[in-house]
Amino acid sequence: MRQADLADLIGAVVRFVFVTWFFYWILDNGAGFAQKILASTQQIGDEAAGTNGLDYGAFAKMGLDVLIQVNSHITLWQPAVASAALLLAILILIALGLVTVNIILVTAETWIVAYAGLIFLGFGAAEWTRDNSVNYYKTMLAYGIKLMVTLLLAGIGLDILRNVQAQAGQGWGTELMPLG
């Protein structure tokens, strides 16, 4: 501020106060913005998949339904078909359990990053750490898109399973083709 006139001094003070106030406002409302970003990307994923809020347990329930229905159709008179059908049903249950765990982990990871990342919003008022604050919202958008894609793929997979079940007729039986 050597040889600075009054206008430069007032300009620097006003800029400092405005930037500090703006980033305080962002810090104060950051959680709400993150929630809105995540809710909107989740809504886009749900609408694109044709689901109305994907139930995380829908995959595990579908896997259990397959296993129970296959188990109820097994007879001892066809041991090769019965064991193959039971093995496929167990593999379907394991795969759908892993899909359920993946959806839960992506959702938990997204919300943990959303709230743990609020710390970086406090760095916005300083000139040299302002990028950390701005990058928080870029990161939230990236995690929101990851959640959206996960929900979209999960919804499509669940719809495919329901269509295969509907085409199987009497539900899941010991026919290896629908199970495969």
Side-chain angles (χ1 to χ4, degrees):
M1 300 304 302
R2 283 187 235 176
Q3 298 177 356
D5 58 353
L6 186 61
D8 291 338
L9 180 64
I10 290 174
V13 169
V14 167
R15 186 172 44 241
F16 173 77
V17 168
F18 178 73
V19 167
T20 304
W21 171 81
F22 176 72
F23 279 100
Y24 173 73
W25 178 76
I26 285 180
L27 177 63
D28 197 31
N29 296 308
F33 294 152
Q35 286 177 349
K36 288 178 183 176
I37 289 171
L38 295 177
S40 64
T41 55
Q42 186 171 3
Q43 179 183 359
I44 291 169
D46 287 340
E47 288 178 4
T51 60
N52 188 11
L54 187 65
D55 179 19
Y56 299 143
F59 288 96
K61 184 181 180 313
M62 178 66 79
L64 285 174
D65 287 345
V66 170
L67 185 64
I68 289 169
Q69 288 179 13
V70 167
N71 193 30
S72 67
H73 288 91
I74 288 178
T75 63
L76 295 176
W77 301 109
Q78 298 174 329
V81 173
S83 61
L86 190 60
L87 179 66
L88 284 173
I90 290 171
L91 288 175
I92 290 171
L93 176 65
I94 290 170
L96 293 177
L98 290 174
V99 169
T100 302
V101 169
N102 185 34
I103 293 171
I104 291 170
L105 286 177
V106 167
T107 304
E109 173 187 25
T110 301
W111 287 104
I112 288 170
V113 167
Y115 286 103
L118 289 175
I119 295 168
F120 290 106
L121 291 180
F123 296 122
E127 181 77 28
W128 55 91
T129 58
R130 190 165 297 145
D131 289 339
N132 291 339
S133 182
V134 172
N135 286 337
Y136 169 73
Y137 289 110
K138 291 179 184 178
T139 303
M140 286 316 308
L141 184 61
Y143 274 93
I145 290 171
K146 180 180 179 180
L147 180 64
M148 176 192 71
V149 169
T150 302
L151 292 176
L152 174 64
L153 292 175
I156 290 170
L158 192 61
D159 189 47
I160 289 171
L161 279 173
R162 288 180 180 152
N163 287 338
V164 169
Q165 182 181 16
Q167 289 176 356
Q170 299 288 348
W172 300 98
T174 57
E175 292 184 35
L176 299 180
M177 189 64 165
L179 286 174

